[in-house]
Amino acid sequence: MAVNFYTFGSIISSLQESFAKSGVCFTVDHAPAPRNSLLLKQGKTDGELFRIPDYQNTIGDAAIMVPEPIIEGYGLLVTKSESVLDEDLANIQGMAVGRGVVWQNYVSLPEAGVSEVGDYTSLMTMLRTGRVSAVLIDNVNFTQLKLPKENLFAKRVTPKLQAHLFLHARHTSLLPEINKAIRVWRAEYSLENGDF
């Protein structure tokens, strides 16, 4: 399986345990999102973790989405200044905004000042050091990357999103048992994401 972000480490290890109980083992390779998509299309990887349903438009017939979502959450705009959260995203001009490369495509942002960054750890560092004024990040990663007592402000900018596993089409026969393994994992593994 391929995954874009390192911050899902605890989720991935727990998923691997649940899958192993179901008789399905997997290892994880980390690579930038565009490379993961290319590898999946070429059949050089067996699947990709943590993709929203619209990813089907990108991957086409090369992969199928496992129906049971792995995680659910929200897209957030996170800043160091609460006043930025009062702005309409479409009206923010000249503000440097860091963003990832998946669901963020659907959030309306001004063209000027938007930087696409491949991993959330770097985005959060850029926010902390003032290199960007705000970041677009999901609440799961934000909860994992926010430092204790860190004074940051967050606002939901998407409806609830689901992140799924996409399997290469050659593994269609594994779909029922993988779907069940994810369902069992979700029943046992509780994410504390915070409420925004």
Side-chain angles (χ1 to χ4, degrees):
M1 302 294 169
V3 67
N4 189 28
F5 300 114
Y6 287 89
T7 45
F8 287 123
S10 62
I11 296 172
I12 291 170
S13 61
S14 179
L15 259 178
Q16 286 174 313
E17 289 175 21
S18 182
F19 274 44
K21 289 176 189 173
S22 299
V24 178
C25 297
F26 70 90
T27 58
V28 175
D29 291 322
H30 296 271
R35 179 163 170 71
N36 287 341
S37 297
L38 179 62
L39 292 172
L40 188 54
K41 284 181 180 179
Q42 294 173 340
K44 294 180 179 176
T45 188
D46 294 319
E48 185 155 7
L49 294 164
F50 309 114
R51 288 294 201 155
I52 62 172
D54 285 355
Y55 182 62
Q56 196 73 62
N57 298 330
T58 299
I59 205 64
D61 295 336
I64 52 172
M65 183 182 81
V66 176
E68 186 71 27
I70 299 172
I71 57 173
E72 296 179 322
Y74 299 93
L76 302 175
L77 179 70
V78 176
T79 73
K80 291 169 63 174
S81 169
E82 192 170 19
S83 65
V84 173
L85 299 182
D86 296 330
E87 296 285 336
D88 181 332
L89 284 180
N91 295 331
I92 295 172
Q93 295 299 322
M95 183 175 89
V97 177
R99 52 158 281 185
V101 293
V102 186
W103 58 266
Q104 293 90 337
N105 294 333
Y106 302 99
V107 177
S108 175
L109 283 171
E111 292 297 320
V114 176
S115 302
E116 190 172 286
V117 178
D119 72 272
Y120 287 140
T121 303
S122 296
L123 275 178
M124 292 299 290
T125 299
M126 291 170 74
L127 179 65
R128 290 179 183 111
T129 59
R131 291 179 53 207
V132 296
S133 302
V135 297
L136 289 170
I137 186 171
D138 64 86
N139 64 310
V140 177
N141 277 291
F142 178 60
T143 301
Q144 292 185 22
L145 290 171
K146 185 177 184 288
L147 300 174
K149 300 181 183 178
E150 189 168 31
N151 196 23
L152 296 173
F153 302 94
K155 171 173 103 171
R156 284 186 193 175
V157 291
T158 69
K160 184 180 276 188
L161 299 169
Q162 296 180 331
H164 294 261
L165 165 63
F166 278 78
L167 280 177
H168 192 276
R170 70 175 170 265
H171 297 302
T172 302
S173 64
L174 295 174
L175 197 60
E177 56 194 301
I178 289 178
N179 198 57
K180 181 180 176 185
I182 294 172
R183 193 176 314 114
V184 167
W185 173 80
R186 283 185 55 146
E188 295 174 354
Y189 189 85
S190 124
L191 287 172
E192 295 179 18
N193 299 329
D195 188 20
F196 298 93

